[in-house]
Amino acid sequence: PGSGTATAAASRRRRRREEPEGGHRKQARREPEASGARPTSTMDGSTACEQDRDGAIAGHNQGVKTEPCFQTNSLLPSPSTSLISQLLSHPMVGRSLDPCILFPSSQAVALPQDHECSASPGEGAKALTFPTTRAPASMPCAGDRDQLSDQHLRAKRARVESIIQGMSLPPTPQAFGTSLEAAFGHERERGGEMPRESKRKPRVPQQGTGAAGQVAPVVGSPRAEGCQQLKEQLCFLEQQLRWLQEKFSQVCDSVDAAQTQEGAEKAHPLPGKPGDGPDKDSAAATGNLCKAPLRRSVLEVHGPEEDKDRGDTVGLPSAARVLSQALKDELAGVTSQVVDSVLKTIWPKAASHLLQQHHSLPVSGPGARREYFAAGKCRKPLAKPSPTSALGSLSSPQAEALSGTSGKRPGSHAVSFSSKGVRKPCQVRNMSYPLGSHGPWGSSSCGSPSAPERGPLESLNLHWGTVKLRSSVVRQQQQQHPLPLSPADVESLGCSVWAAECQLSLTPRQIQEALTPGHLKKAKLMFFFTRYPSSTLLKTYFLDVQFSRCITSQLIKWFSNFREFYYIQVEKFARQALLEGVVDAGALRVSRDSELFRALNTHYNKGNDFEVPGRFLEVASLTLREFFNAVRAGKDADPSWKKPIYKIISKLDSDIPEGFKATSCSQELLRS
DNA sequence: AGGCCACCTG
DNA sequence: CAGGTGGCCT
């Protein structure tokens, strides 16, 4: 009993004596990382994560624009900008027919949009402005007018492109202010707090120059440029006009369908509306893609008030009413699209089903979504853990029975709470979730505890996405009944329906800014699975924590302390066994009723409400034997005698059940 | 330079 | 368990 402290103290004294030989120690410490699959993957994962995050950010920088979801797909002529900007810009453009005033006016028209874009999801617009092309243009060479002109033209073209693309974006303030900003802006926010992000800041200045270069060429533009500009403007307007027309016809159709009683009125095409024949057909065709969704969006956004909304416009002239409705529809539609895109981006498959089934979700219908999804290759699809597919269709118990192992040692990974007390659904279904099926990490990690490819990007994406979702879109749905996700949906994520709900935070979860006792408890339980978690991994499993440098290091520190305690305990018992005359290291086994286990379990699983995975017993047994052998061989004379042991143990981390990712986990654990 | 680790100390 | 230190690694 008391010998533990003594042993530990002795160990410490010894270490202290060894201190001067830091060199050895370093090697020892570093060893696991150098060759250990775990630490290595840790680094990789970390780097990859960083890159990914970077990539993601870059993506958003370049933009909104890069985000194919919002861009390409939205070639549907729908975003509210198209209409609104037309209304706003028409007069100006009209005045700007004179090339002399064209540019100023074009600035007025174009720049705001650029800003709009850049101010939104990413500081992106600049990236879209092709800084490289633009850079020279922003440095007017006194004599080289042609070149300047040429560059300027290209710049203009780029900007027009960006304008057009911007129009296809949903720049609805509310949209960005809520879902999108919460989604991607949040990441930037966090990025600021994340140590690694700070390194990436240099990108900002670049954008700055991009923006500068954007304005520069416009000033003092020659007449030739003016013509070109005019041309482009006209093209641009032409396109907008086309869209507007489509809008009109589409809205008319919609009105037709909805208000048959107003047949007489609708029979009159809008003034100036092109022929009904072919145009109408094409418009209708286009409209079919977004009409239904738009209408539904309106209905969902305004709920039962839809009719009232329409009713409000009854007094207006038909054109105005149509326009009004079109604007409403578009606003609603844009909002829906944003929600749709965000959701789809971070959770493609589930989102798809979710969107289709959950009627209260203000999203676009299948048609429009198809468009978005088709073009929305924002992210590569989540890796599908094929081996788990079968599990997806099984009921929970079945799945558990089949996958309770990590594919290697049957039963060794079985994780579940003991029967003590009544477990909340969270714990039971969560914690006992099959370890073998970790969606984000794919099937490859099923068989090997070391899981070299741990910590890939997708998990992070999912993780952030989840957080974002929770904080933005889904929160509004929290009171709703559980989302009707089928096992098939969940299968793609490799986590249970419940876990999905949990992560979507149907139960409201606040993002903590500090670690709580619940988190500590959770961390301790996680230690049963991983002794050397990377910060990336931790971030993945503490989704309800707003990570900062401080939080991260605290978590790391926790595990460091856990390890310390663990190794001290094991060493203590190894020495004890030696003193007791044990000769065969193979006879040393850590069972659930062994003293060592009790010591460890008391420390990491106080309350004993979690069933320690068998795998941990194996690891502990191995550690014990290693210590035993080392001490018996007198290796402890070597200052770095623990190095090989650390190295071995560092490779024995196993996957952590997905259930630990549940944001409610920590709190539930605290209550148990 | 920053992340992570083991170690030591309180 | 947290603070601090020294060290390696990228």
Side-chain angles (χ1 to χ4, degrees), chain A residues 49 69 81 90 115 178 182 195 228 296 314 337 375 406 598 615 634:
Chain A
C49 148
C69 298
T81 9
H90 257 289
H115 289 321
T178 56
Q228 182 60 32
R296 201 172 90 196
V314 165
Q337 290 162 17
S406 268
R598 287 211 299 137
R615 172 71 175 163

Side-chain angles (χ1 to χ4, degrees), chain A residues 63-74 372 375-378:
Chain A
V64 180
K65 312 52 218 220
T66 305
E67 196 78 341
C69 298
F70 298 114
Q71 252 182 36
T72 345
N73 75 32
S74 308
Y372 296 149
K377 303 177 300 232
C378 327

Side-chain angles (χ1 to χ4, degrees), chain A residues 343 347-356 382 485 488-490 492-493 500 504:
Chain A
L343 195 57
W347 198 355
K349 188 173 178 182
S352 149
H353 288 262
L354 189 154
L355 299 181
Q356 286 174 352
L382 283 179
L485 294 175
D489 300 325
V490 173
S492 71
L493 293 169
L504 284 173

Side-chain angles (χ1 to χ4, degrees), chain A residues 43-54 196 455-457 460:
Chain A
M43 298 303 295
D44 290 345
S46 188
T47 303
C49 148
E50 182 180 347
Q51 287 170 344
D52 173 59
R53 229 181 331 170
D54 224 35
R196 306 192 179 194
L457 328 177
L460 209 73

Side-chain angles (χ1 to χ4, degrees), chain A residues 400 413-433 498 521-522 525-526 528-529 592 604-613 657 659-660 664-666 668-672:
Chain A
E400 282 176 29
H413 268 181
V415 184
S416 64
F417 284 95
S418 66
S419 52
K420 166 204 165 196
V422 178
R423 293 286 154 238
K424 299 167 181 79
C426 164
Q427 296 165 322
V428 175
R429 298 168 61 186
N430 215 8
M431 298 305 186
S432 61
Y433 191 74
W498 182 87
K521 192 167 184 177
K522 175 177 172 179
L525 294 183
M526 286 171 63
F528 285 131
F529 300 91
R592 294 181 190 277
Y604 305 117
N605 186 24
K606 208 171 293 182
N608 204 34
D609 44 16
F610 184 85
E611 187 173 325
V612 178
F660 278 101
S664 58
C665 180
S666 349
E668 297 290 340
L669 282 173
L670 197 53
R671 272 179 244 155
S672 63

Side-chain angles (χ1 to χ4, degrees), chain A residues 57 61 120-123 181 184-192:
Chain A
I57 292 176
N61 281 343
S120 310
E123 291 80 47
E181 166 139 304
F184 303 119
H186 189 262
E187 181 162 338
R188 287 194 318 245
E189 226 177 87
R190 299 198 35 159

Side-chain angles (χ1 to χ4, degrees), chain A residues 137-199:
Chain A
S138 62
M139 309 163 51
C141 250
D144 206 346
R145 253 205 173 183
D146 285 346
Q147 188 188 352
L148 178 66
S149 174
D150 181 55
Q151 288 164 345
H152 182 206
L153 286 182
R154 278 184 292 167
K156 276 294 169 201
R157 186 156 304 155
R159 197 174 65 198
V160 170
E161 284 179 24
S162 103
I163 292 171
I164 294 174
Q165 290 177 332
M167 289 177 51
S168 66
L169 296 176
T172 314
Q174 296 95 317
F176 287 145
T178 56
S179 53
L180 216 111
E181 166 139 304
F184 303 119
H186 189 262
E187 181 162 338
R188 287 194 318 245
E189 226 177 87
R190 299 198 35 159
E193 282 196 31
M194 308 273 273
R196 306 192 179 194
E197 282 314 320
S198 55
K199 297 177 185 173

